[in-house]
Amino acid sequence: MDIASLIPSFGNAAFTVVAFVVALSVIVTVHEYGHYIVGRWTGIRAEVFSLGFGPVLVSRVDRRGTRWQIAALPLGGYVRFLGDSDGASGKDAAAIAGMEADERRHTMHGAPLWARVLTVAAGPVFNFVLSIAVFAMLAVVSGVAIEPPTVGKLQPLPAAQSALREGDTILALDGRATPDYTAFYDAVAALPVDGETAYLVRRDGVEQEVAGPYPFPPVVSAIQPKSAAMEVGLKEGDVITAIDGQPIRAFRQLQDVVTASEGAPIALTVWRDGETLSFSLTPKRMDMPDPEGGFETRWLIGMTGGLAFEPATRMAGPLEAVSYGADQLGFIVTSSLSGLYHMIAGKISSCNLSGPLGIAESSGAAASQGLESFVWFIAMLSTAVGLLNLFPIPVLDGGHLVFYAYEAVVGRPPSDKALRVLMAAGFALLIGLMVFALTNDIFCP
């Protein structure tokens, strides 16, 4: 595969790189600041806080003696504490041996075990806090749907003007009561896709029945990064009017055709701002999490459907927003761990593991869809970075926590020689994983 083909069609390489660097810089800064600030609170002195590696572009020393710097290679960062030999908290034995006891207390290696545990764990924890905060903020900005379902802005559709109006409260669909969105979705599942849908609504305090479009028309509400839909140029707001020349009225009809395609190309007729366009795209085989915690293989084109109207919303309360953020974090963590297990067990393709090129492409794709999409992607990536750093691999935070657990049980830390060997092995393993993921970016479909 030509590496140039990995650059999304919506923009150029520079846009993708900038989006990736911005996303990674935010996440790394929060992660490393967690190490720094908790280390400072527990009496461990930071000598260098670096965003990036390699030659230093700009730096300054604060009143505590910490050098804050931005380096030329923006692919990570580190905090080097007093007594560290490198950014991975390797031990500078010679320097520590020459310190007085009071000064040694301010090193990572001379601090009490509890201080080291808190300082190391703070990086991933700060990543998780960032994710929860971002998801909560988005919940506040987007609002929470009002129940019973209430019509907000109507989606532009090519069919005749809907009799629904903004502010209508939907009480029933074809005679099935819809007191909340759970009941509304159950009612939609029972609706036939042919003909008009009968809505019982409350309008200006009066109940009346009106005819309207199928509640989930084949309208595109979002396009997934690296998907067949994105590759051919489909956009949010597009309405699929026909598949292979056959008219459709519901998004689920599109789903059924894609699922049954077995990867064969399909032709879409699309209505966009009053213009009719034609697209041909080939569904991609994907491994998707199922409700039972496993995975199922499906053919997908990478678009999400939406309602015929934007639900009217109310502002989410603080606790409600934080709870939503925590739920999103938990879902990403459990799905990631499940996916890793299924890959190791050979139950799903290892192509589900993306490397730096794939992540960069996804960053650019998310940024191309607007600020909200990009911020959501940053929150997801922050969760992934926090989780990855907790893996028990030497050189990662999780590896250091394993060393500290050993020290807590045995009463002494592993020997310096053992640590050097384990750190070298962990570094080699990490490089191997990165190379493997990079080959996925280049050779996986």
Side-chain angles (χ1 to χ4, degrees):
M1 179 185 292
D2 181 4
I3 293 180
S5 68
L6 294 171
I7 304 302
S9 60
F10 61 82
N12 55 30
F15 181 86
T16 300
V17 170
V18 169
F20 176 58
V21 169
V22 169
L24 189 62
S25 295
V26 170
I27 293 165
V28 169
T29 298
V30 169
H31 180 95
E32 297 302 333
Y33 187 77
H35 290 316
Y36 163 78
I37 194 63
V38 174
R40 198 180 88 185
W41 290 339
T42 58
I44 301 173
R45 187 177 303 151
E47 292 189 315
V48 178
F49 186 111
S50 181
L51 181 59
F53 302 99
V56 177
L57 301 178
V58 62
S59 69
R60 74 173 184 87
V61 178
D62 67 16
R63 60 186 177 84
R64 293 184 176 85
T66 301
R67 179 176 296 279
W68 298 76
Q69 65 185 37
I70 297 176
L73 300 176
L75 299 177
Y78 62 89
V79 176
R80 193 179 74 226
F81 293 102
L82 180 66
D84 289 352
S85 60
D86 51 46
S89 290
K91 184 177 181 181
D92 188 341
I96 292 176
M99 294 178 183
E100 298 292 336
D102 287 347
E103 186 180 16
R104 192 177 300 119
R105 165 61 181 85
H106 296 297
T107 69
M108 174 65 81
H109 303 277
L113 181 60
W114 64 267
R116 286 177 277 149
V117 169
L118 291 178
T119 300
V120 169
V125 168
F126 269 52
N127 280 133
F128 296 149
V129 170
L130 171 64
S131 298
I132 292 174
V134 170
F135 289 135
M137 178 194 69
L138 291 174
V140 171
V141 171
S142 301
V144 177
I146 295 173
E147 294 183 325
T150 302
V151 178
K153 181 181 177 181
L154 290 166
Q155 295 281 10
L157 297 172
Q161 183 66 35
S162 171
L164 288 173
R165 294 182 186 174
E166 185 174 341
D168 284 351
T169 298
I170 300 174
L171 304 177
L173 293 175
D174 276 5
R176 292 175 63 101
T178 56
D180 52 38
Y181 272 98
T182 299
F184 179 85
Y185 296 141
D186 289 341
V188 171
L191 288 175
V193 296
D194 298 325
E196 290 185 319
T197 299
Y199 291 78
L200 177 64
V201 302
R202 183 186 297 117
R203 178 183 299 167
D204 300 326
V206 178
E207 293 186 10
Q208 57 183 290
E209 188 170 285
V210 299
Y214 187 80
F216 279 95
V219 60
V220 179
S221 65
I223 300 292
Q224 304 303 316
K226 301 173 63 177
S227 66
M230 174 163 281
E231 289 172 358
V232 301
L234 286 168
K235 297 180 179 180
E236 181 180 342
D238 285 349
V239 181
I240 315 300
T241 58
I243 306 174
D244 293 331
Q246 298 298 314
I248 64 169
R249 182 171 174 261
F251 191 81
R252 74 188 193 197
Q253 292 174 288
L254 173 63
Q255 292 174 308
D256 291 342
V257 171
V258 172
T259 299
S261 71
E262 294 293 322
I266 59 176
L268 301 182
T269 304
V270 173
W271 181 87
R272 178 186 295 171
D273 298 328
E275 183 181 1
T276 299
L277 306 172
S278 297
F279 296 89
S280 178
L281 69 170
T282 302
K284 295 185 177 183
R285 187 172 180 174
M286 303 288 289
D287 297 308
M288 304 297 294
D290 60 34
E292 285 72 38
F295 279 77
E296 59 177 336
T297 300
R298 295 165 57 189
W299 293 97
L300 301 172
I301 58 176
M303 67 171 65
T304 303
L307 289 168
F309 57 89
E310 293 181 9
T313 60
R314 59 174 176 81
M315 181 176 290
L319 292 179
E320 192 175 20
V322 171
S323 176
Y324 172 79
D327 287 344
Q328 292 299 310
L329 174 76
F331 173 76
I332 295 170
V333 168
T334 54
S335 296
S336 299
L337 292 176
S338 177
L340 180 62
Y341 164 76
H342 283 80
M343 277 190 283
I344 293 174
K347 296 180 179 180
I348 62 174
S349 170
S350 61
C351 285
N352 287 280
L353 180 66
S354 293
L357 290 179
I359 296 172
E361 184 180 357
S362 296
S363 300
S368 74
Q369 297 184 59
L371 181 61
E372 183 175 340
S373 175
F374 185 53
V375 171
W376 183 278
F377 175 80
I378 288 176
M380 290 184 61
L381 188 57
S382 181
T383 302
V385 168
L387 179 61
L388 174 63
N389 271 277
L390 286 176
F391 285 0
I393 300 175
V395 311
L396 295 181
D397 295 332
H400 288 288
L401 292 175
V402 170
F403 297 152
Y404 297 153
Y406 172 87
E407 181 178 347
V409 172
V410 176
R412 65 178 186 279
S415 67
D416 291 348
K417 181 178 179 180
L419 284 175
R420 285 195 297 270
V421 171
L422 290 170
M423 294 289 277
F427 184 74
L429 175 61
L430 206 57
I431 292 297
L433 289 173
M434 290 178 64
V435 170
F436 177 76
L438 184 61
T439 59
N440 279 355
D441 291 340
I442 296 172
F443 296 111
C444 284

